[in-house]
Amino acid sequence: MQCEYSWQAYRDTCWYVDENLKRDWYSARDICANMNSTLLSLESDEKFQYFNQMYQNFYSKYDAFWLNSRTDEPKKFKWLNSIPLKQEHYGGKNPDNSGGNENTLNEGCISMSNPDGFKLNDAICSTKFEYFCECH
């Protein structure tokens, strides 16, 4: 796969991480769309492990990164291509709807989180994190 400058190849996709600006989930999604890409989805175990290891090795100074999943139903997350998230990819007891407001309309988004052991976490969409974009 041939990727544009500052993008990295992974199998049949290219990915990009913005380390300089934290954005809420909606802004991150829109920035990716403006680059003809989407927020990163980690549908397979192999892809999850690859990005989990990369996060630990290169990006662990950041609290979390936004990924391509959100919901309007408590604890019912899917990647935006409709593939369900795997429970074993979550950290701790996640998705936990902490405080009762993470899995409600406009506030149910998924991040990969350092405090959760580089695993998936449900978070309030207006929180500002770094983000990964990917294109095919």
Side-chain angles (χ1 to χ4, degrees):
M1 178 89 184
Q2 192 75 355
C3 300
E4 294 184 32
Y5 178 75
S6 75
W7 289 68
Q8 303 295 317
Y10 172 76
R11 300 217 177 250
D12 62 344
T13 65
C14 296
W15 59 270
Y16 169 83
V17 61
D18 190 336
E19 298 180 67
N20 300 313
L21 292 173
K22 292 183 176 188
R23 301 286 186 183
D24 63 60
W25 188 89
Y26 298 99
S27 296
R29 177 200 58 193
D30 293 347
I31 290 168
C32 291
N34 287 335
M35 295 189 289
N36 296 316
S37 63
T38 63
L39 287 168
L40 178 68
S41 294
L42 302 174
E43 307 97 335
S44 71
D45 290 334
E46 179 184 8
K47 192 174 180 184
F48 178 84
Q49 292 304 325
Y50 175 84
F51 281 94
N52 179 285
Q53 193 64 47
M54 187 186 59
Y55 185 10
Q56 290 182 54
N57 291 340
F58 300 108
Y59 301 108
S60 61
K61 64 184 175 182
Y62 303 108
D63 290 334
F65 287 87
W66 285 124
L67 298 173
N68 199 21
S69 180
R70 68 168 302 279
T71 189
D72 293 330
E73 293 181 66
K75 299 185 181 183
K76 300 217 185 234
F77 286 94
K78 293 181 179 181
W79 297 110
L80 292 188
N81 61 11
S82 297
I83 296 173
L85 277 68
K86 294 185 174 187
Q87 186 60 43
E88 62 268 21
H89 292 172
Y90 285 102
K93 296 180 181 178
N94 288 303
D96 61 0
N97 195 22
S98 179
N101 60 3
E102 291 176 341
N103 300 129
T104 58
L105 185 61
N106 297 322
E107 295 188 341
C109 296
I110 290 291
S111 67
M112 180 175 267
S113 177
N114 187 349
D116 290 306
F118 306 99
K119 300 272 186 133
L120 302 182
N121 178 44
D122 53 330
I124 297 170
C125 300
S126 60
T127 306
K128 293 186 178 182
F129 294 138
E130 283 78 17
Y131 55 95
F132 286 101
C133 298
E134 74 175 325
C135 63
H136 299 270

